[in-house]
Structures are given as structure tokens and as C-alpha cells.
């Protein structure tokens, strides 16, 4: 099964930027829609952005205009460019398919935005 490894998180001040990467151990060409999720402490995991194989994107309202999802099928990698970060963006970020059955969840990458 394809394994996912997220990276690129860190501590940043409000208004700052981070670029997250999600590297897959196998080809993502057959995974039509991939997404980034996040889970804040005490909250349920939420889907924040998705991208199809062809590059069509979707964003939850809270990140529209600030986050950009992209994918490089040749490198089996999905990215999330996050700009104008807010303290409420603080969470562990994960990538996976957009719907069940999900791939095995990775460990995620922590994003902490200070005010």
C-alpha cells in the first residue's frame, strides 16, 4: 500500500507562510483526488483542500485565497502552500485521498501559528 510522509511544518508568526509536502512511496497517478486535512487539538480532522489528477482544486472557505494545493505526479508529491497564516490554522496537517477507503494515514506535520 502507498505510504504518505508529510513534512514542512513548523512554528511561524501570524501572517507568515509555510509550504507543506506530502511524499508518497508509490505512484499517485491512479489517485484521482488527493487532499490535505488538518486536526487541531480537541477537534475533528477536517478536509481543507483537494486536487484532482488534472489539477482542479477545492478549498474550504476558511482557507480560500490563502492556501494553494498542487501536485507533481512525476514526483509522487502533493504540496500545500500556506500564506497569510492565522493562529486558527494551528493543527497537525495530513494528506490522503479525498474520501474512504483512505490510505494508511501518515504521522502528519505540525503547523503552529503564533499571534
Amino acid at each position: 500500500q502507498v505510504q504518505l510522509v508529510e513534512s514542512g511544518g513548523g512554528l511561524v508568526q501570524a501572517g507568515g507562510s509555510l509550504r507543506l509536502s506530502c511524499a508518497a512511496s508509490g505512484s499517485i497517478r491512479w489517485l484521482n483526488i488527493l487532499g490535505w486535512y488538518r486536526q487541531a487539538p480537541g477537534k475533528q480532522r477536517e478536509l481543507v483542500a483537494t486536487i484532482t489528477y488534472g489539477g482542479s482544486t477545492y478549498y474550504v472557505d476558511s482557507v480560500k485565497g490563502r492556501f494553494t494545493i498542487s501536485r507533481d505526479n512525476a514526483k509522487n508529491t502533493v504540496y500545500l502552500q500556506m500564506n497569510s497564516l492565522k493562529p486558527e490554522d494551528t493543527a497537525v496537517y495530513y494528506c490522503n485521498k479525498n474520501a474512504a477507503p483512505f490510505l494508511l494515514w501518515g504521522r502528519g506535520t505540525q503547523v503552529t501559528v503564533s499571534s
Side-chain angles (χ1 to χ4, degrees), residues 13-52:
Q13 288 187 330
S17 298
L18 286 171
R19 188 191 193 207
L20 307 184
S21 297
C22 171
S25 62
S27 176
I28 63 171
R29 293 181 182 275
W30 60 277
L31 299 174
N32 183 32
I33 306 177
L34 292 168
W36 279 96
Y37 299 76
R38 65 186 179 187
Q39 186 167 21
K43 294 187 177 181
Q44 288 190 335
R45 189 173 294 173
E46 67 166 339
L47 179 65
V48 297
T50 65
I51 186 167
T52 67

Side-chain angles (χ1 to χ4, degrees), residues 72-88:
D72 186 331
N73 294 318
K75 294 183 178 180
N76 298 320
T77 304
V78 183
Y79 304 97
L80 187 67
Q81 177 67 44
M82 306 188 296
N83 299 327
S84 302
L85 282 162
K86 303 176 180 180
E88 51 263 44

